[in-house]
Structure formats: structure tokens, C-alpha cells
Amino acid sequence: MKEKGRKVIASNKKAKHNYSILETYEAGVALVGTEVKSLREGKASLVDAYASIDDGEVWLRGLHVPEYGHGTWTNHAPRRTRKLLLHRREIDKLLGKTKESSLTLVPLSMYFSDGKVKVELALAKGKQDYDKRQDLAKRDAEREVTRELGRRIKGMRG
């Protein structure tokens, strides 16, 4: 029976904190058999992962997929470089944008989409420390505003 929908395997929570996300792309991942079985168990880590373009191909580096528990000598290397599957025009567009400016390719999440493993790849610009502090301050201010509004609504009702 085919799976339907989207099941998230792993997400990179620090990516939105460390980078300003400009565009996102969905890419397929070329995997070997035991990697898929390990991913079906929900085991993967995008913490140190990044993507690079070499010789017109996009590669995902630093992704950790632990070895499959029931695997034998056919098991995969946990941190091997994996090929990302994108259309040629998308690769050319990404190549141009990463070469011209200080943009980087960061994986945001990894998920099953209708039974196939996909990676949400973001074209991102690294944030400076002061940008991160501004974002934190803005988020804290918005949280305080919503909290105060909630108190006022409760005060009017009660």
C-alpha cells in the first residue's frame, strides 16, 4: 500500500535562527536501501548538514543517517555525501546565486512525500549576531503584546 501525504523525518530548527531564508526548493535524495530503512524508523540528523554544487550536481554533505540496526555488511556509511535530485534549470539558477553573492544552501527539513524521501533546501544568507539579537527582541515583543491582549480579553470577560 502506497503512503500518501507528508511525514517529516528530521528538521533543522537552528537554520531559521542562523540564516535568513530567501527561497526554498524541494529536492529528491539518491539513497541506498539500508538508508531508506533507517529513515523509515525516523532516524536522521540535519544539524551539521549543508549542500554544495560540484560539477553541475548538487550534493548534500554532513547529513547523519545512522546505520540500520538489522543491516549486515551491506549497511551504508552514516555521513556519506548524498546526491540531491533537482531539475537542470534549478541547479543552474542555484549555481548562479551562490557564486555571485554570499548565499548558501541549507537543508531545512527531510520528509517522506508519497513514499519518496525529499529534502526542503533553502537558499539562505547567514545572519550576523546583531541580526539574531534583533529577531529575538522582536519575537519577545510580539509575545508580550499577545500575552497582554490575552489578559485584557480575559479581564473584560471575567
Side-chain angles (χ1 to χ4, degrees):
M1 193 163 135
K2 283 290 265 183
E3 288 183 40
K4 294 286 181 207
R6 181 173 165 158
K7 179 187 168 206
V8 176
I9 303 163
S11 60
N12 190 350
K13 293 178 176 79
K14 292 292 265 181
K16 289 192 171 108
H17 177 70
N18 291 333
Y19 299 95
S20 299
I21 308 301
L22 304 175
E23 290 181 52
T24 58
Y25 297 89
E26 182 181 66
V29 187
L31 299 169
V32 295
T34 54
E35 286 177 316
V36 177
K37 291 177 180 182
S38 187
L39 290 172
R40 288 213 184 276
E41 293 177 347
K43 298 177 180 174
S45 174
L46 289 169
V47 174
D48 298 327
Y50 66 96
S52 64
I53 303 173
D54 303 325
D55 300 327
E57 294 180 333
V58 184
W59 298 91
L60 185 61
R61 302 175 191 281
L63 169 69
H64 184 264
V65 179
E67 288 186 351
Y68 181 57
H70 302 291
T72 57
W73 57 272
T74 59
N75 243 333
H76 62 278
R79 286 211 180 261
R80 76 178 188 88
T81 302
R82 294 161 179 92
K83 186 175 183 179
L84 293 180
L85 309 172
L86 287 158
H87 291 285
R88 169 62 44 206
R89 63 182 175 277
E90 289 179 320
I91 294 172
D92 293 340
K93 186 177 174 184
L94 288 172
L95 183 62
K97 289 189 176 186
T98 55
K99 290 280 186 221
E100 74 175 37
S101 56
S102 60
L103 299 178
T104 185
L105 294 171
V106 181
L108 297 178
S109 64
M110 185 174 223
Y111 53 90
F112 282 105
S113 178
D114 297 333
K116 293 182 174 53
V117 178
K118 303 285 185 178
V119 171
E120 186 179 17
L121 199 62
L123 188 63
K125 185 174 180 64
K127 283 186 187 176
Q128 300 294 330
D129 284 338
Y130 59 85
D131 291 333
K132 294 178 191 176
R133 283 195 295 272
Q134 285 176 343
D135 286 350
L136 287 172
K138 189 190 313 178
R139 194 167 62 223
D140 287 345
E142 288 172 1
R143 190 179 299 134
E144 192 57 41
V145 166
T146 56
R147 194 177 292 147
E148 188 59 37
L149 284 172
R151 285 187 194 127
R152 285 189 182 172
I153 290 171
K154 288 177 185 171
M156 288 179 194
R157 288 184 185 163

